[in-house]
Amino acid sequence: MRERELAPYAARPGRAGGRRHREPPPRGRSEYQRDRDRIVHSGAFRRLEYKTQVFVNHEGDLFRTRLTHSLEVAQIARSVARSLRLDEDLTEAIALAHDLGHTPFGHTGQDALNACMKPYGGFEHNLQSLRVVDLLEQRYAAFDGLNLTFETREGILKHCSRRHAPGLGDVGARFIKRRRPSLEAQIANLADEIAYNNHDVDDGVRSGLLDLEQLSRVKVFARHMRAVQHEHPRVSGTRLRHETVRRMIDTLVTDLIRTSEAHIRRHAPASLEEARRAPPLIAFSPRIRDESLDLKQFLRRNLYQHYRVTRMSNKARRIVTDLFRAFLSDLHLLPPEHQARAQADAPRAIADYIAGMTDRYAMLEHRRLFAIEAA
Ligand code: MG
């Protein structure tokens, strides 16, 4: 979409908030397209391929990883942004970057690292994603990080505690002033939720940890599955599951667009600034919100707390905790470049190193440190 076709409340690439280091304007692409391209070329983005969503990478080739998850989020976010005449490239950049700071082994990894870092300021994957794009990526001669625009950075920082906000400068300010991020960022956030709820249903069944029988006790799944069975009485198994999940995604996306349109009409923001001061304008309707929460609870009880997932999480927690303790007890165990960074702040440098690991690299590093027979 050309800049002049964007809605008045869209983020305009021509007025993009400054990068932290001055650079000449991009040629042949917009500021937000440049952000997206930098994210795709980053090392942290490639590592998402081997980081877990729910299933650890070696458990199967067909499960979602953080990379395919991020691509699904970007696709959903772009569709919604386009319908609302918002900047697709900005929402895409935020979606592709939103999980860059994720540890290996999904939420278990994050919780374990946060527990290790408790005495040293904690660990939070949103803040870490920002740290990756602001500091940890080293690809440019003139600066650390990717030097992204303000709008992309504020979108990456989805949540932030009031304790951390003052230390984060421009992107922390909205948590103190209680303002919203751009509508493009709000979309990326809800697209994340649509993506994971639905692909976790799909992966859950594929892995054999969930079955259609159980899922038919979830209202939203049952409703869509019945509709598919009604229209296609002979469809079953994998195709029934895919068709049901596809319809659930479609319903969520359509509802998100319609409800947001209604909110935008009611508040009629004349600019991005007014959209930031309005209540959250990108939202689901109350009915769809409830259905979505219902599905989330079902997944928590039946998939995330499934004994086989719990067993893997238990191992993951041990790996992360063992690595952290070993490095902290002897910084010489760290690879040289991380040792150098550890001189200034050892716990944070160790957290950066562990957070950057893929699932399999963390397992390998654990073997190298703890298995007597390993090299
Ligand atoms: Mg995500």
Side-chain angles (χ1 to χ4, degrees):
M1 201 174 286
R2 287 166 196 278
E3 189 154 344
R4 61 188 147 78
E5 294 164 20
L6 293 173
Y9 40 82
R12 287 166 190 275
R15 276 184 240 154
R19 298 174 189 274
R20 300 205 298 170
H21 306 275
R22 275 185 77 106
E23 289 188 73
R27 276 184 311 232
R29 53 183 176 165
S30 77
E31 295 281 1
Y32 301 138
Q33 285 170 343
R34 173 152 76 178
D35 280 2
R36 177 206 52 208
D37 299 348
R38 288 184 173 185
I39 290 158
V40 170
H41 286 287
S42 71
F45 184 71
R46 282 194 300 281
R47 286 199 295 270
L48 294 176
E49 183 175 0
Y50 300 105
K51 291 195 186 197
T52 301
Q53 219 23 61
V54 177
F55 299 92
V56 172
N57 192 250
H58 67 259
E59 293 182 290
D61 288 346
L62 284 174
F63 298 125
R64 265 70 173 191
T65 65
R66 287 217 174 260
L67 181 63
T68 60
H69 162 70
S70 301
L71 296 175
E72 288 181 37
V73 176
Q75 179 272 318
I76 292 169
R78 286 188 65 140
S79 303
V80 177
R82 195 178 315 128
S83 297
L84 298 174
R85 289 195 298 133
L86 295 164
D87 191 273
E88 277 180 57
D89 303 309
L90 173 60
T91 207
E92 183 183 23
I94 296 167
L96 293 177
H98 85 283
D99 271 349
L100 289 180
H102 234 295
T103 59
F105 311 120
H107 284 278
T108 311
Q110 125 98 28
D111 293 346
L113 195 52
N114 187 29
C116 295
M117 285 294 287
K118 208 84 290 145
Y120 315 107
F123 177 90
E124 212 276 297
H125 71 89
N126 270 302
L127 284 172
Q128 190 68 10
S129 296
L130 192 65
R131 210 171 144 74
V132 167
V133 301
D134 280 354
L135 187 71
L136 298 178
E137 279 291 321
Q138 298 190 337
R139 316 187 66 79
Y140 298 91
F143 47 77
D144 285 334
L146 304 177
N147 199 30
L148 304 179
T149 61
F150 169 78
E151 289 77 16
T152 302
R153 295 173 57 243
E154 80 159 350
I156 292 172
L157 192 64
K158 196 160 61 174
H159 322 281
C160 161
S161 63
R162 305 264 284 178
R163 183 165 63 95
H164 282 126
L168 292 168
D170 53 357
V171 284
R174 80 176 163 91
F175 297 96
I176 300 164
K177 294 190 217 152
R178 296 186 184 281
R179 297 268 167 84
R180 255 60 54 194
S182 69
L183 301 186
E184 286 84 350
Q186 295 179 36
I187 289 174
N189 188 11
L190 292 181
D192 184 23
E193 197 177 313
I194 296 178
Y196 67 67
N197 273 333
N198 286 285
H199 64 48
D200 288 353
V201 166
D202 189 40
D203 280 354
V205 177
R206 191 196 305 279
S207 64
L209 303 191
L210 298 178
D211 59 43
L212 294 184
E213 161 96 37
Q214 270 175 305
L215 274 160
S216 63
R217 293 201 294 271
V218 185
K219 238 178 16 193
V220 55
F221 191 89
R223 174 157 59 86
H224 287 288
M225 188 166 76
R226 270 199 309 272
V228 179
Q229 285 168 324
H230 182 73
E231 286 170 46
H232 305 277
R234 272 191 284 201
V235 160
S236 64
T238 315
R239 209 187 276 249
L240 174 60
R241 172 177 96 234
H242 286 313
E243 183 65 34
T244 306
V245 170
R246 187 184 75 74
R247 289 174 189 223
M248 291 203 302
I249 296 176
D250 187 63
T251 304
L252 287 163
V253 170
T254 309
D255 179 79
L256 185 60
I257 294 169
R258 290 216 186 109
T259 312
S260 306
E261 265 169 356
H263 288 174
I264 290 169
R265 224 174 300 126
R266 191 161 345 117
H267 289 274
S271 66
L272 170 57
E273 253 331 286
E274 286 190 24
R276 289 182 200 280
R277 269 184 252 128
L281 298 178
I282 306 297
F284 296 111
S285 64
R287 185 175 83 105
I288 294 287
R289 167 95 281 168
D290 287 350
E291 279 191 355
S292 192
L293 283 175
D294 203 33
L295 177 63
K296 224 186 233 190
Q297 271 168 11
F298 170 85
L299 286 170
R300 189 171 321 126
R301 278 198 301 268
N302 296 281
L303 182 63
Y304 312 143
Q305 293 172 1
H306 191 287
Y307 84 97
R308 277 173 52 201
V309 174
T310 308
R311 284 182 181 188
M312 192 61 226
S313 305
N314 187 50
K315 280 192 245 181
R317 191 175 311 114
R318 240 187 33 227
I319 292 174
V320 169
T321 312
D322 286 351
L323 289 176
F324 186 88
R325 287 191 186 145
F327 292 134
L328 194 62
S329 71
D330 185 355
L331 297 179
H332 292 100
L333 294 172
L334 285 166
E337 66 273 26
H338 295 279
Q339 271 184 42
R341 300 180 44 114
Q343 297 310 317
D345 183 346
R348 189 57 60 188
I350 294 167
D352 287 340
Y353 180 43
I354 294 176
M357 293 178 185
T358 60
D359 297 355
R360 59 183 185 179
Y361 185 84
M363 291 188 278
L364 178 67
E365 193 70 334
H366 192 267
R367 269 201 302 280
R368 284 195 290 234
L369 282 175
F370 295 99
I372 302 297
E373 69 279 11

